[in-house]
Amino acid sequence: MNYLFLHPNCPGQYKHILQRLADDPTNRVICLTTSPNNKLPKGITILDYSRHRKKPDQLHPFCEKFVTGSYRAIRVARLCSELKEKGFVPDVIVAHSGWGDGHYLKSIYPDVPILNYMEFYFQPRGTDMDFDPPGKVATPNDIARTTTNNAIHMVNYFNSDWCITPTFWQRSVHPTEMQEKISVLHEGVDVEKIAPLNVDGISLPDGTRLSSRDHEIITHVENNFEKHRGFHIFMRAVEKIHKQRPKAHFVVLGSDGTSYGRKSKENRSLRQQLMAELDIDPSRIHFLGTIDFDNYIKVLQAGQAHIYLSYPFVLSWSFIESLAAGCQLVCSATPPIMEVVEHGKQALLFDFHSPDELAENVSKVLDDPEKYSDLRINARRLALQQYNVRDLLPLHIELINDIAKGVTPPTAAKRIEQRHEKHGKDAAWMESWGAYRHEMKGTN
């Protein structure tokens, strides 16, 4: 079969899918991307569309993302036209078009079915826009900007034959009318490669050796250090923990960029701002930047506590990977997380906005690790049962091939639903979030 994939940072969510398809010599797989140097399986043709035209200087700021996406989409369409002229017609197109890059695919291949990845639909209430600080209200400008950005998702939706998203939370923020055509199916993680390992600490790139006998090793991972992943809350908790626990060392992965939200007008990164503002011992917080995957797993395995925070927003892969590694999790009680774990079962949850509560929970697990050892075991078990790529990959392949055959609704969608029913994936996660807020925080 002929497969056409679109992802600006390919392979992205398609890493395992591409490998499986490339293993079959009868398949022809082409990937359109702006990151042609990323590692992809052998046998895949990579086409670079990064040389798209840039947005004009004079442009209303609310329209920037849509217009930039349109220029990217034009470049994609031209590459597809060249492919078509050379005789390549895909049986199916699999696209993450969240930036608008796939808007014009149907203009080139009007009869080719599309499976679109629907990552997030912006809402002015109940999501990241009005979450932090407490009581925040989205401004009219914020609502106007994200309304225009949502137009990208609407075009993707109406161009698609079927859609997919990784979590129920992410599906729930889409308009009700759209949800019936969106299957919830996580990409999964390699639970054999990402597994618990009893190690006595970790050696850092600068030569520092942290031993689990002599130090308390706390880990934290972000793609970029920013408020959407609670970096400001994390750092305030670091300040408190440093004052309370002289043996506490933090091993932190991530970069000083922006993945979500708007770029700061400050000349300094958020990390630099907070390090200057807070009383944190720089010798006991180790920023390792972005490291290779194998060493990243070693960091997870070495930690005696792992901290994860998120706005009501897209769930990170690192969170599922920390489950697979059997980390002792201390997490914010926000919907994407509470869909996956339960307080006191796989993790300790805390109020996102409370560095004090975060510091208190970290101290609990460091003071009595045996008391909370079942949380590690349950976290690993959850990853094995629900997020094992070996179990999820066949469903992805079946769904893609259903779409290629013109089967809509796809028969694979029913099997996906049955799997969720087996594991109790329903509205219970939303109910548990409401119960937590009401019983533990005294809010409605």
Side-chain angles (χ1 to χ4, degrees):
M1 290 181 64
N2 288 340
Y3 297 90
L4 179 64
F5 281 78
L6 170 66
H7 195 304
N9 192 35
C10 210
Q13 288 83 358
Y14 305 131
K15 175 182 177 181
H16 300 290
I17 296 171
L18 288 170
Q19 182 66 67
R20 176 64 62 86
L21 294 176
D23 287 343
D24 185 343
T26 66
N27 292 332
R28 186 178 180 191
V29 185
I30 295 178
C31 292
L32 302 175
T33 183
T34 60
S35 306
N37 295 323
N38 286 356
K39 186 177 179 180
L40 289 173
K42 292 182 179 179
I44 292 179
T45 301
I46 302 170
L47 297 180
D48 177 11
Y49 65 94
S50 60
R51 297 180 300 279
H52 55 78
R53 182 179 172 187
K54 306 301 181 183
K55 66 180 178 63
D57 294 331
Q58 298 297 321
L59 184 66
H60 196 287
F62 296 174
C63 301
E64 285 184 359
K65 186 174 180 179
F66 192 92
V67 172
T68 300
S70 297
Y71 282 124
R72 293 159 67 104
I74 290 170
R75 176 64 178 158
V76 168
R78 286 174 178 165
L79 286 175
C80 288
S81 293
E82 293 171 8
L83 286 173
K84 192 173 183 180
E85 289 174 2
K86 295 175 182 177
F88 179 82
V89 177
D91 293 291
V92 62
I93 297 171
V94 183
H96 188 333
S97 303
W99 298 266
D101 307 32
H103 277 182
Y104 309 136
L105 288 170
K106 281 288 188 182
S107 65
I108 309 302
Y109 292 121
D111 300 321
V112 176
I114 297 178
L115 176 64
N116 254 320
Y117 191 96
M118 305 295 284
E119 192 159 40
F120 200 73
Y121 192 97
F122 297 97
Q123 297 284 356
R125 289 177 293 278
T127 61
D128 59 321
M129 289 180 64
D130 66 342
F131 179 72
D132 184 37
K136 176 184 177 182
V137 177
T139 67
N141 279 357
D142 287 338
I143 296 172
R145 181 181 297 104
T146 53
T147 296
T148 307
N149 290 344
N150 280 339
I152 292 174
H153 299 281
M154 299 302 293
V155 173
N156 292 338
Y157 175 80
F158 285 108
N159 276 346
S160 68
D161 293 79
W162 199 258
C163 302
I164 190 171
T165 199
T167 70
F168 284 90
W169 161 250
Q170 286 165 252
R171 184 173 72 176
S172 75
V173 298
H174 288 81
T176 304
E177 298 86 346
M178 298 173 67
Q179 294 179 28
E180 291 184 358
K181 205 171 79 172
I182 303 177
S183 288
V184 176
L185 185 58
H186 197 275
E187 299 84 38
V189 299
D190 187 343
V191 297
E192 295 178 4
K193 187 170 186 178
I194 309 169
L197 183 65
N198 291 324
V199 293
D200 179 26
I202 187 171
S203 294
L204 304 181
D206 65 358
T208 301
R209 174 68 187 176
L210 299 180
S211 167
S212 53
R213 291 170 297 181
D214 302 323
H215 307 97
E216 295 170 336
I217 305 170
I218 305 152
T219 56
H220 178 67
V221 176
E222 298 184 38
N223 183 25
N224 286 304
F225 302 133
E226 49 194 332
K227 291 186 175 182
H228 266 69
R229 296 305 186 204
F231 187 70
H232 54 313
I233 305 298
F234 164 74
M235 290 290 281
R236 290 186 172 93
V238 170
E239 180 183 49
K240 297 177 183 300
I241 293 168
H242 269 180
K243 291 178 180 178
Q244 298 165 0
R245 312 188 73 89
K247 295 198 301 180
H249 281 252
F250 290 82
V251 180
V252 186
L253 305 182
S255 303
D256 289 325
T258 302
S259 297
Y260 319 110
R262 305 179 69 182
K263 292 183 179 180
S264 172
K265 295 180 180 179
E266 295 271 352
N267 292 325
R268 300 176 298 172
S269 68
L270 181 60
R271 178 180 62 87
Q272 292 168 330
Q273 295 172 48
L274 290 169
M275 284 297 291
E277 172 189 335
L278 301 172
D279 183 14
I280 291 174
D281 181 353
S283 70
R284 291 194 287 135
I285 185 165
H286 311 276
F287 293 101
L288 306 190
T290 301
I291 62 179
D292 65 83
F293 189 78
D294 289 341
N295 283 313
Y296 156 62
I297 300 305
K298 289 179 181 178
V299 169
L300 294 182
Q301 292 167 334
Q304 291 150 285
H306 180 76
I307 297 171
Y308 179 79
L309 301 93
S310 180
Y311 279 9
F313 196 61
V314 173
L315 189 70
S316 306
W317 285 326
S318 72
F319 178 64
I320 304 299
E321 290 163 345
S322 68
L323 289 172
C327 292
Q328 176 57 73
L329 291 165
V330 181
C331 310
S332 61
T334 40
I337 297 164
M338 298 192 74
E339 175 182 334
V340 179
V341 299
E342 296 180 40
H343 176 63
K345 189 171 182 180
Q346 297 93 2
L348 292 184
L349 303 183
F350 64 90
D351 179 0
F352 177 99
H353 301 104
S354 175
D356 288 340
E357 191 177 347
L358 168 52
E360 179 184 345
N361 280 336
V362 169
S363 290
K364 284 180 181 179
V365 299
L366 293 176
D367 285 338
D368 194 352
E370 286 299 318
K371 179 179 178 180
Y372 297 99
S373 60
D374 282 353
L375 273 65
R376 289 179 177 266
I377 296 170
N378 292 336
R380 171 66 178 173
R381 182 180 295 123
L382 179 65
L384 289 169
Q385 292 175 343
Q386 298 187 29
Y387 298 98
N388 188 343
V389 69
R390 185 177 59 186
D391 298 328
L392 299 177
L393 183 56
L395 291 172
H396 279 280
I397 299 297
E398 183 181 2
L399 182 63
I400 292 169
N401 288 338
D402 277 352
I403 302 304
K405 297 171 186 174
V407 180
T408 53
T411 55
K414 184 60 180 176
R415 268 180 281 282
I416 294 167
E417 291 175 9
Q418 290 170 344
R419 189 176 192 280
H420 292 319
E421 291 169 1
K422 175 183 176 182
H423 293 290
K425 287 287 187 181
D426 51 26
W429 63 270
M430 184 66 87
E431 294 172 6
S432 68
W433 180 47
Y436 175 89
R437 287 169 54 81
H438 181 71
E439 295 172 15
M440 299 183 66
K441 300 297 155 195
T443 58
N444 294 322

